[in-house]
Amino acid sequence: MSDVSFVRTEMLPEQAPPASEVGLIGWIRHNLFSGWFNSILTLVSLYAIYYVLSGVLPWVFQSVWNANSLNECREIMMATWGSTHGHACWAVINDRWLQLLFGFYPSHLYWRPIAALLLLLVALAPVLYSDRLPTKMLIFSAIYPFLMVWLMWGGTIWGPIAAALGFVVGWGVYTLVSKQLSGLFGLIAGVAASVIWWLVLSSYFVGALDSILPIGIEAVQSRQFGGFMLAILLGVVAIGVSLPIGIVLALGRQSDLMIVKYLCVGFIEFIRGVPLITLLFVASLLLNLFLPPGTNFDIILRVMIMMTLFSAAYMAEVIRGGLAALPRGQYEGADSLGLNYWQAQRLIIMPQALKISIPGIVSTFIGIFKDTTLVSIIGLFDVIGLASAIRADTAWNGIYWELFAFIAALFFVVCFSMSRYSMYLERKLQTGHH
Amino acid sequence: MSELAIDRQIDRSKMQVSDEVAIEINNMNKWYGSFHVLRDINLTVNQGERIVIAGPSGSGKSTLIRCLNALEEHQQGTIMVDGTELSNDLKNIDKIRSEVGMVFQHFNLFPHLTILENCTLAPIWVRKTPKKEAEERAMHFLEKVKIPEQADKYPGQLSGGQQQRVAIARSLCMMPRIMLFDEPTSALDPEMIKEVLDTMIELAEEGMTMLCVTHEMGFARQVANRVIFMDAGQIVEQNEPEEFFNNPQSERTKLFLSQILGH
């Protein structure tokens, strides 16, 4: 009889884990006091948190909300707490918050940027929550960019309509030509037709229709734009436009067509090799040297283009990382079923590559959104530029922390939302068995 | 290499080889850079044939069947599939690919789509089949490979054997005239090899033209009508399975068979 012989006759049932492994006590033991070293770290961290909060919380909450100048603020502090130290003077925000949000946008027209922001949320909703909302809402998302431009800048309604018609013209020419000749010719002809429409024909179209049927709202000049509104405007445009451009650049970089490939590589490497601030200076100063005198090329539009290109170059590299992470088998699987290049990219490759790239894409989004504050250096009154202007005012000369704390809070809300959304999206797209 | 027992009666009534030519390869050569990977391949496959391609690794057998749907490009010679020549013309390539099904060693299912979507994608986009019809057909083939209940799951939630059966169903949904199998069981646990082989046998019983690169010699013996042995990029020997296994002619074939069957 061999003593290694063993046969199990009944399978063991599952049992509840011991009390020290579950519940609050189990959690504390595991996460905070799992050994003497971790226990010390826990205590030190708790003290650090206490130290920081004990300094910050009184500053935030024992503060002055109503005053007309920094001096008045200080008098109130002395009267209330007997010291000006350790108390915030939120009165500056109370006094100037509209300016920090809207810049020099005419105050009787504030409803327009607010409406644009609310409609932005409506336009974004079907994109962000595509599984919960009807696809038909995307029609509004397509109209929104033109509506937004009209709301923000005002003027005749025929301008944005003419801009939108440029896409229609391009699409029409593309379908006509690609039926007659090849798809590539159609694409080139379509793009050419759109460009000709925008640069040459649309101004006559707008002029003619405006003289017949002048529908419009009060125009607002670009130099009146500013504040956090400007950051959102630049950020939304740069984010929204750079993603498709980035996808095209990433695909171009992987292309077998030599010229396309090296054009994309050259563009990406050049833009990534140059600081954003130099691109912004090019937009604000140098571009005027190259344009014919008297051309009115809107400064905000120029900045938008530069920020978009900058963000697109980074986006292309992030997406290329996602493409590189896909196994070759996915391309072969798509090929073997007879899907053509664009079908394979759209249905198989991009959905997966973009999903892999979500953290990188959102980091780039957040980065470019915060980089919009750099426009203060080329003289646009974004929220940082306005903070400097407010500090230059004699009433608030010397105030510092409160303004930047407010600005930080504004940016944090938006960036943190983007970050949380990306985590939601990653969870939603998770299809493995984890 | 084990010779897995196939414990079922194989119905040969529909395994008819017709006179119609499905694939014709003439003097085909292929190089990877300067490496001559396929050398002067000549092969004619008739409709209804079940061919097993065997050989040591690196012998070019996978490359050969990957050339048949242009996943790899050949540099010399001609390949005719179902009367269409494989050339650089993308239209021809897409036509052939939609007529020829392929099953891979690593399944290559699309992990972001459900099983059902995996099966309906190509019919909807390539064949322009209406969605409802494509779904009905997909369910039909999923029933055939015995996993209709998994239709709404994602590939990552299935076992390897189940995934490979989905991959077979996905190919079948395109109604191919020819099926290529590139080591379909090599990445599977022994317990799962059998379920995939059973599916392949059923396919053979229905008269499908099949080219299989595989190490499953039991399958070769009982299902194939022809075994091709390749080494160093060329066809060394081909014969009916009985003759091939019991009476190999070339020294290289004898050595290979003794190594994979010898113990």
Side-chain angles (χ1 to χ4, degrees):
Chain A
M1 187 75 186
S2 154
D3 55 358
V4 296
S5 167
F6 169 76
V7 178
R8 184 175 294 286
T9 50
E10 55 183 314
M11 303 305 267
L12 297 176
E14 199 170 304
Q15 289 184 341
S20 64
E21 296 298 306
V22 289
L24 183 63
I25 294 174
W27 186 87
I28 289 176
R29 269 177 58 114
H30 269 288
N31 295 292
L32 299 179
F33 300 101
S34 59
W36 64 268
F37 183 67
N38 282 358
S39 304
I40 292 174
L41 278 185
T42 301
L43 294 175
V44 170
S45 311
L46 284 177
Y47 178 73
I49 293 169
Y50 165 78
Y51 183 77
V52 170
L53 288 184
S54 66
V56 170
L57 290 182
W59 181 78
V60 171
F61 290 106
Q62 296 187 342
S63 51
V64 180
W65 277 94
N66 293 303
N68 291 318
S69 70
L70 186 57
N71 283 337
E72 203 182 321
C73 244
R74 288 189 174 138
E75 281 163 22
I76 297 173
M77 284 177 201
M78 284 304 284
T80 321
W81 298 290
S83 140
T84 60
H85 187 72
H87 305 287
C89 177
W90 296 118
V92 66
I93 307 297
N94 197 5
D95 189 29
R96 298 295 185 94
W97 65 278
L98 279 171
Q99 203 180 32
L100 283 168
L101 291 182
F102 296 101
F104 300 111
Y105 206 89
S107 55
H108 66 287
L109 298 178
Y110 279 167
W111 65 272
R112 273 160 48 179
I114 292 171
L117 181 66
L118 293 178
L119 290 176
L120 171 70
L121 300 181
V122 178
L124 277 180
V127 180
L128 298 186
Y129 300 97
S130 54
D131 54 339
R132 298 190 194 169
L133 293 166
T135 327
K136 283 210 176 105
M137 281 181 73
L138 284 171
I139 297 171
F140 179 74
S141 307
I143 298 171
Y144 177 76
F146 307 101
L147 184 62
M148 185 271 280
V149 167
W150 186 59
L151 276 175
M152 296 298 288
W153 274 274
T156 171
I157 197 170
W158 300 110
I161 289 179
L165 273 180
F167 287 100
V168 178
V169 167
W171 177 252
V173 170
Y174 166 75
T175 40
L176 267 181
V177 176
S178 60
K179 254 184 214 156
Q180 302 288 324
L181 298 161
S182 76
L184 186 65
F185 277 112
L187 198 65
I188 295 170
V191 171
S194 294
V195 170
I196 291 172
W197 170 263
W198 283 322
L199 293 185
V200 185
L201 299 175
S202 66
S203 57
Y204 298 113
F205 173 85
V206 173
L209 276 174
D210 197 36
S211 59
I212 301 168
L213 204 63
I215 306 175
I217 50 178
E218 191 178 332
V220 179
Q221 298 302 315
S222 283
R223 57 188 153 76
Q224 294 173 292
F225 280 51
F228 196 58
M229 179 191 86
L230 184 61
I232 293 183
L233 180 66
L234 293 173
V236 165
V237 171
I239 285 171
V241 183
S242 68
L243 185 61
I245 297 181
I247 291 174
V248 172
L249 284 173
L251 290 178
R253 193 169 186 163
Q254 294 215 320
S255 169
D256 295 331
L257 307 168
M258 271 301 158
I259 297 178
V260 172
K261 178 177 175 174
Y262 284 107
L263 276 177
C264 292
V265 171
F267 176 85
I268 292 168
E269 296 301 336
F270 173 74
I271 298 276
R272 290 204 313 158
V274 175
L276 176 58
I277 195 74
T278 58
L279 293 176
L280 292 177
F281 273 119
V282 168
S284 81
L285 304 170
L286 281 176
L287 230 49
N288 279 345
L289 298 179
F290 297 111
L291 294 170
T295 322
N296 181 21
F297 190 9
D298 191 274
I299 178 70
I300 290 185
L301 183 60
R302 281 184 268 168
V303 168
M304 275 176 182
I305 291 173
M306 284 303 178
M307 302 214 69
T308 303
L309 295 182
F310 185 79
S311 163
Y314 279 87
M315 199 63 67
E317 285 300 279
V318 169
I319 293 169
R320 190 169 69 97
L323 287 172
L326 276 195
R328 260 202 74 70
Q330 291 295 306
Y331 293 87
E332 291 178 352
D335 282 348
S336 74
L337 288 168
L339 296 168
N340 66 32
Y341 175 82
W342 292 108
Q343 288 173 336
Q345 290 298 340
R346 192 182 130 208
L347 301 167
I348 308 299
I349 306 303
M350 270 307 149
Q352 297 185 64
L354 290 179
K355 181 186 136 192
I356 298 171
S357 320
I358 288 171
I361 290 175
V362 175
S363 286
T364 312
F365 283 173
I366 290 174
I368 198 72
F369 180 62
K370 292 187 296 182
D371 282 350
T372 56
T373 52
L374 285 176
V375 300
S376 63
I377 295 184
I378 58 167
L380 290 181
F381 280 100
D382 88 313
V383 71
I384 299 284
L386 282 167
S388 310
I390 290 170
R391 282 186 297 126
D393 185 335
T394 46
W396 299 110
N397 199 342
I399 202 149
Y400 199 81
W401 286 94
E402 290 81 352
L403 283 170
F404 287 106
F406 179 67
I407 293 168
L410 287 178
F411 275 93
F412 181 80
V413 168
V414 176
C415 294
F416 186 65
S417 312
M418 282 199 256
S419 166
R420 297 306 299 185
Y421 176 76
S422 87
M423 289 166 80
Y424 156 80
L425 198 59
E426 278 178 72
R427 266 201 314 279
K428 190 181 85 174
L429 297 178
Q430 178 64 258
T431 57
H433 40 178
H434 312 292
Chain B
M1 191 61 52
S2 67
E3 188 166 344
L4 209 82
I6 294 172
D7 52 358
R8 53 176 280 182
Q9 283 298 310
I10 294 176
D11 171 16
R12 295 184 172 275
S13 61
K14 283 196 197 153
M15 290 193 190
Q16 300 291 334
V17 178
S18 82
D19 292 336
E20 201 186 332
V21 175
I23 297 172
E24 192 172 358
I25 307 174
N26 281 314
N27 306 99
M28 193 261 275
N29 280 284
K30 173 174 176 57
W31 288 264
Y32 281 132
S34 60
F35 176 54
H36 197 172
V37 55
L38 289 178
R39 305 181 190 180
D40 195 36
I41 304 287
N42 285 287
L43 180 67
T44 303
V45 180
N46 285 349
Q47 205 59 252
E49 280 205 86
R50 287 102 34 218
I51 295 179
V52 163
I53 304 173
S57 59
S59 60
K61 49 194 194 308
S62 283
T63 312
L64 173 62
I65 69 164
R66 287 159 59 87
C67 280
L68 296 179
N69 65 353
L71 286 182
E72 303 277 356
E73 207 181 332
H74 62 286
Q75 280 88 30
Q76 272 181 15
T78 56
I79 300 177
M80 302 277 286
V81 179
D82 241 358
T84 311
E85 184 178 351
L86 260 187
S87 56
N88 284 331
D89 190 342
L90 284 176
K91 284 214 174 93
N92 277 357
I93 291 179
D94 283 341
K95 178 168 181 288
I96 288 174
R97 281 174 177 166
S98 61
E99 308 269 325
V100 178
M102 176 120 187
V103 176
F104 299 88
Q105 180 177 0
H106 295 289
F107 330 135
N108 296 355
L109 294 176
F110 307 130
H112 63 301
L113 301 176
T114 63
I115 300 307
L116 189 65
E117 287 165 342
N118 264 280
C119 293
T120 56
L121 184 90
I124 289 174
W125 288 89
V126 180
R127 288 244 194 277
K128 315 287 179 209
T129 314
K131 186 166 182 240
K132 196 156 180 293
E133 196 186 322
E135 280 177 356
E136 278 165 15
R137 196 194 297 163
M139 287 312 294
H140 167 75
F141 283 114
L142 285 174
E143 264 157 42
K144 210 168 136 113
V145 301
K146 304 189 182 67
I147 33 178
E149 72 281 2
Q150 313 282 9
D152 293 324
K153 289 195 182 164
Y154 287 93
Q157 297 167 310
L158 267 55
S159 74
Q162 290 173 322
Q163 289 192 48
Q164 192 61 296
R165 285 185 282 153
V166 172
I168 294 173
R170 180 177 75 173
S171 288
L172 292 176
C173 284
M174 286 295 278
M175 302 295 198
R177 311 237 295 151
I178 301 163
M179 285 286 286
L180 308 175
F181 292 85
D182 186 1
E183 306 207 20
T185 55
S186 299
L188 298 177
D189 291 342
E191 277 186 285
M192 295 169 181
I193 291 177
K194 189 175 169 300
E195 61 190 50
V196 171
L197 286 182
D198 277 343
T199 307
M200 290 168 65
I201 292 168
E202 273 173 40
L203 212 53
E205 285 172 339
E206 286 167 17
M208 177 65 81
T209 310
M210 296 164 70
L211 270 83
C212 315
V213 172
T214 181
H215 299 293
E216 295 302 328
M217 290 303 139
F219 179 80
R221 226 186 255 278
Q222 299 193 43
V223 181
N225 69 315
R226 179 150 55 129
V227 181
I228 294 176
F229 176 69
M230 287 183 72
D231 188 33
Q234 44 221 311
I235 295 177
V236 175
E237 187 165 348
Q238 52 174 315
N239 214 331
E240 290 177 356
E242 277 309 302
E243 277 293 296
F244 179 84
F245 287 109
N246 299 337
N247 190 14
Q249 299 297 312
S250 102
E251 286 305 316
R252 189 65 192 85
T253 314
K254 285 178 193 162
L255 180 66
F256 176 75
L257 287 177
S258 74
Q259 274 169 345
I260 65 166
L261 301 173
H263 43 102

